[in-house]
Amino acid sequence: MASGGSAAGGGPRIPSSLPGRPGFDPAVLARGRLLLALADDARGRDAADEARTLALRAAADFESGVRLSGRHSAPSAVRCRALLDLAEARAVAAGDTGHPGVLEALERAVEAVRDQGPALRVPALRRLAEAHTARYRHTAEPAELVAADGYFTQAEALLGRDDPERAELLAGRGEVLVARAERGGELTVATDAVRVLRAALALTADSDPHLADRRLLFGRALRHHHGAGGTPTDLHEAEWVLARAARGARDDRTAALAWLERGDVLLTLAGDAGAPEWLDLAADAYHHGVRSAERAGEPLLAARAHHQRAVVLERTAGPEHALESYRTAWALWQRAGAAQGPQARSTFERMTALAGTGRR
């Protein structure tokens, strides 16, 4: 990109430098925000290199603005906004919202408004919590989830009960708590997940585009609560809410995840005795999961659904029908390059065993 011009060719010209003047110059931050907007535009056009270059230039301006704001005692709100913008620019440049540089900027933003009201503290805390959540996806370190939970909790405490942002915060914290429960968290963690997500759903309108995702999360929370020592009613409520999530999902991937989760709940309800009505419903849920995953273009989800359906068919329809589903699952695992994973190996083992039984 030529110096001083937009990479798109027709955008506004950006001066390579600004005339200096004593004290803090907000024009530096204004230029950084323009560069960041252009970086977002480049991302929308799938121009990754251009977006990274623009984001790095924006980050340099924000770093300069933050440095000057501290040197010349600019208002803490100005410093906080500059640090939030710096965090976003670094995230775009790194392609990672949990990058250590992002966390560092967000921690400074929270510190800058520690004695201020919720208007800036809440978004700063929320973004820091989300950054730790993103960091966890890379590191799998439980401490990241604990940190995210703490920041979400602080942000929630600053909001009124009827604040429209409350549902989003509760859902974010609920996702973190479910992740902690999935790692074998104690019953108290799973209990918090159920409580927080129930509150989030109570504040979520039927027309909200996030409703199905939150129902899916709530169903998962209930399932983990049962597994951690809850009651059988957890599973019945989970089955009901997951069915609503699957049927009300606006995208096929969410629907596939909800059908899979519902099938697993139904399989648990069937128990070792294999109650026929629960097994039939589980097989049907996995069948819907296959269809939704195929429409979503998600071969891994489709493979999981085929495998789980085969598990049920072994108990209901016999080995021949199960073998067909195992073979389809195995082909999908191979196509997705995931044939070495634990569930793929389980698919292969069951497929081989059933095929051998059929030859005898």
Side-chain angles (χ1 to χ4, degrees):
M1 186 178 72
S3 177
S6 165
R13 295 186 62 81
I14 303 168
S16 58
S17 63
L18 291 172
R21 68 172 186 258
F24 171 64
D25 187 354
V28 175
L29 296 178
R31 183 176 61 184
R33 291 181 182 116
L34 178 56
L35 285 163
L36 186 54
L38 291 171
D40 286 337
D41 176 72
R43 281 200 302 171
R45 293 183 280 105
D46 292 325
D49 289 342
E50 181 184 333
R52 182 174 182 275
T53 299
L54 288 163
L56 286 170
R57 290 179 61 192
D61 275 346
F62 292 133
E63 286 165 0
S64 176
V66 168
R67 190 165 52 251
L68 289 170
S69 70
R71 187 179 302 163
H72 297 286
S73 301
S76 57
V78 171
R79 182 174 172 80
C80 177
R81 290 191 183 95
L83 285 162
L84 292 177
D85 288 335
L86 174 59
E88 184 177 352
R90 286 177 174 176
V92 174
D96 178 10
T97 56
H99 188 273
V102 175
L103 287 167
E104 186 267 345
L106 291 172
E107 286 166 357
R108 291 164 66 194
V110 168
E111 183 63 31
V113 287
R114 183 168 297 280
D115 299 324
Q116 302 294 312
L120 279 175
R121 288 182 67 199
V122 169
L125 287 164
R126 175 177 57 79
R127 286 182 56 183
L128 184 52
E130 291 168 349
H132 277 286
T133 305
R135 184 76 178 151
Y136 168 75
R137 298 188 188 107
H138 292 295
T139 67
E141 288 291 337
E144 301 292 352
L145 294 176
V146 174
D149 187 10
Y151 289 123
F152 272 126
T153 302
Q154 289 181 49
E156 180 193 344
L158 295 170
L159 293 179
R161 297 191 63 82
D162 298 325
D163 192 294
E165 194 176 349
R166 188 175 178 81
E168 183 180 353
L169 277 176
L170 289 168
R173 186 181 175 216
E175 182 178 4
V176 167
L177 288 166
V178 168
R180 291 181 65 189
E182 286 174 344
R183 292 187 61 97
E186 298 176 353
L187 179 60
T188 53
V189 174
T191 300
D192 282 345
V194 170
R195 175 182 57 79
V196 166
L197 287 166
R198 194 185 298 279
L201 277 175
L203 295 171
T204 304
D206 289 344
S207 59
D208 194 304
H210 301 296
L211 178 61
D213 294 295
R214 291 172 188 174
R215 283 173 170 166
L216 171 58
L217 265 178
F218 183 49
R220 288 169 59 195
L222 287 163
R223 183 182 171 208
H224 288 301
H225 189 261
H226 174 267
T231 66
T233 58
D234 289 330
L235 291 179
H236 291 282
E237 186 176 8
E239 187 275 324
W240 174 78
V241 78
L242 288 166
R244 298 190 74 190
R247 295 186 179 112
R250 298 191 179 193
D251 66 276
D252 289 315
R253 186 176 188 279
T254 299
L257 288 168
W259 285 122
L260 271 165
E261 197 77 33
R262 181 175 184 242
D264 291 347
V265 168
L266 289 162
L267 201 53
T268 304
L269 282 168
D272 294 334
E277 64 273 17
W278 294 121
L279 289 173
D280 288 343
L281 286 171
D284 186 61
Y286 292 132
H287 176 69
H288 282 297
V290 167
R291 295 290 183 85
S292 295
E294 289 173 345
R295 287 194 298 269
E298 294 276 357
L300 290 176
L301 285 179
R304 281 175 52 198
H306 272 295
H307 176 96
Q308 289 298 97
R309 185 166 183 264
V311 169
V312 177
L313 291 177
E314 278 197 71
R315 301 169 66 177
T316 58
E320 288 186 9
H321 289 88
L323 181 58
E324 182 181 347
S325 278
Y326 280 130
R327 282 173 172 161
T328 303
W330 177 241
L332 287 166
W333 291 125
Q334 290 179 299
R335 190 184 310 165
Q340 300 305 312
Q343 191 165 21
R345 290 197 298 271
S346 176
T347 297
F348 182 77
E349 289 166 4
R350 291 308 304 151
M351 180 180 69
T352 304
L354 293 181
T357 300
R359 286 196 294 269
R360 288 200 292 270

